[in-house]
Amino acid sequence: MATEAVTMDKIVSLCRRRGFVFPSSEIYGGLGSTYDYGHYGVLMKNNIRASWFEAMVRDRDDIVAIDSAIILHPRVWEASGHVEGFTDPLVDCRTCKLRFRADKLEEEQCGRKPSKHPGETPECDLTDARQFNLMFETSVGPVRDAGSRAFLRPETAQGIFINFKNVLQLARRRPPFGIAQVGKSFRNEITPGNFLFRVREFEQMEMEYFVPPADAERWYRYWIDERVSWYLRYGLRQSHMRVREHTPDERSHYSQGTSDIEYLYPIGWSELEGVANRGDYDLTRHTEYSTTKLEYVGPDGERYTPFVIEPAVSIERIFVAMLVDAYDEEEVAGRGRTVLRLHPQVAPVVAAVLPLIGRHEDMVAKARGLYEELRRRHVVEYDDNGAIGRRYRRQDEIGTPWAFTIDEQTLEDDTVTVRDRDSLAQERLPMGGVRAWLDDALASDWTTPKAD
Ligand code: ATP
């Protein structure tokens, strides 16, 4: 029987136990809310990135890729409005000496009484809010002075806008067209937390879609729908997703419309991805600050500054949403098991190859042969260590969708069993057909077996 209570603690503990994610700099006591990815975390992140890139770039004719520098000209961040306005309101508590985001107090814990929010007890003594800029500053070159001041990018989008002209000319595009980028972004968040949900260093995946202004609203709706469909395709439960449109006073200064695709994380409904209609704000500002005209000129002389529709998300928030959605505990034949019911294309390992008896030379030889064949195309694991039940459980916990087991019968008729992670059904396949079977299984549509 499956249980519903997925807590962030359970996800954190599984990630650590199975080597997905570790607290960073642990041997030095850790660096708050900073994480390092282990083997399975890296594999899963690679899969999320590849699936996004496939949907955004590889499967389309109208979107190209870019990879801009992390440290850009400091004027970029003046033009974008980040130097002046990329701030969060910060309050200090004079009693517990902690700092909080004034607009998220309901998500924070009082330093003295963690069951209360800051400001809720008579002892709390909060200062007035002041604006705190979230950009990390650094300096470029050997001399540290005002002229060397630079920033680590807080979003990848600006690296796209400043290359608008290059792409327009060299990739010979005309609106509607998009530019996609994946890369690290840095924000000095006042209160990072909730595992990877809010971190100071994260990998953003953003796409800026340039359209004629009159079509902006239509494309804005189109991208909300596209992105929701992408999540559903990768198995997130519809009941755990919703789209929330920002009210006009909630929107950023540049936005003509913003919707959050929210996921029901263990911390409650929270932003997974944002889709914004940024209007012509960015191209206009960069034209003004750089004096390079960023506009589209058509073959018949028409000219305009395109509007921009932006779907923006971090791999971290997808990673957590997918783990939460996939996590299950159930009892099978009187024994508990933890299983990650991940979409097969997202799971870190696609299949395990297991000799039933790890010390049986012939089984091992057959299993290794199959493993060598499959690993040429897929991430597969070979494991002959311990009882078969324990090996299955280990694979269940990292979300491996299928296990191929080589047993006595394999030695007689060259068939193997394939065990399905979710249904636990087993069937026999001819050894020679395993590769094609796996290719087919991976290419098939998949829906989560979890109840809504
Ligand atoms: P929030 O309100 O949660 O701080 P935001 O509205 O500032 O987020 P955006 O600037 O719209 O976020 O960033 C686009 C996307 O980047 C977000 O939807 C989220 O997926 C991701 N993201 C933003 N900040 C962080 C962070 N600190 N850690 C992990 N992912 C982040």
Side-chain angles (χ1 to χ4, degrees), residues 21-22 34 77 138 147 174 200 223 232 250 307-308 384 436:
V21 181
F22 311 111
T34 312
W77 306 107
T138 185
R174 52 181 304 176
R200 294 196 169 109
W223 279 109
L232 296 177
E250 232 185 312
F307 274 29
V308 177
D384 60 15

Side-chain angles (χ1 to χ4, degrees), residues 82 86 88 101 103-104 107 134 154-155 185-189 192-193 195-206 231 246 252 254 258 260-261 265 270-276 278 310-318:
H82 283 82
F86 192 57
D88 277 339
R101 230 175 106 168
D103 60 336
K104 302 261 176 184
E107 292 175 17
L134 300 184
E155 61 175 32
S185 288
F186 303 83
R187 296 184 185 181
N188 198 2
E189 299 278 2
F195 192 33
L196 297 163
F197 181 84
R198 190 177 302 285
V199 276
R200 294 196 169 109
E201 176 184 335
F202 51 96
E203 198 168 336
Q204 254 187 335
M205 306 197 287
E206 296 192 294
Y231 288 109
H246 285 204
S252 315
Y254 54 74
T258 301
D260 289 346
I261 301 174
Y265 291 93
S270 310
E271 175 177 342
L272 166 60
E273 168 158 355
V275 182
R278 298 177 74 123
E310 172 196 81
V313 66
S314 66
I315 295 186
E316 283 73 5
R317 289 206 186 165
I318 300 179

Side-chain angles (χ1 to χ4, degrees), residues 323-378:
L323 288 176
V324 168
D325 217 77
Y327 187 96
D328 230 347
E329 289 169 0
E330 65 177 4
E331 207 161 283
V332 180
R335 293 187 55 188
R337 74 161 183 158
T338 301
V339 52
L340 287 183
R341 303 187 192 280
L342 289 167
H343 188 288
Q345 287 171 20
V346 169
V349 176
V350 165
V353 181
L354 315 169
L356 182 65
I357 302 166
R359 291 211 181 105
H360 193 299
E361 262 179 38
D362 295 341
M363 284 186 204
V364 166
K366 285 257 178 208
R368 285 214 71 97
L370 180 62
Y371 167 65
E372 292 300 338
E373 183 189 350
L374 297 180
R375 75 188 293 197
R376 275 189 259 142
R377 306 230 344 217
H378 303 291

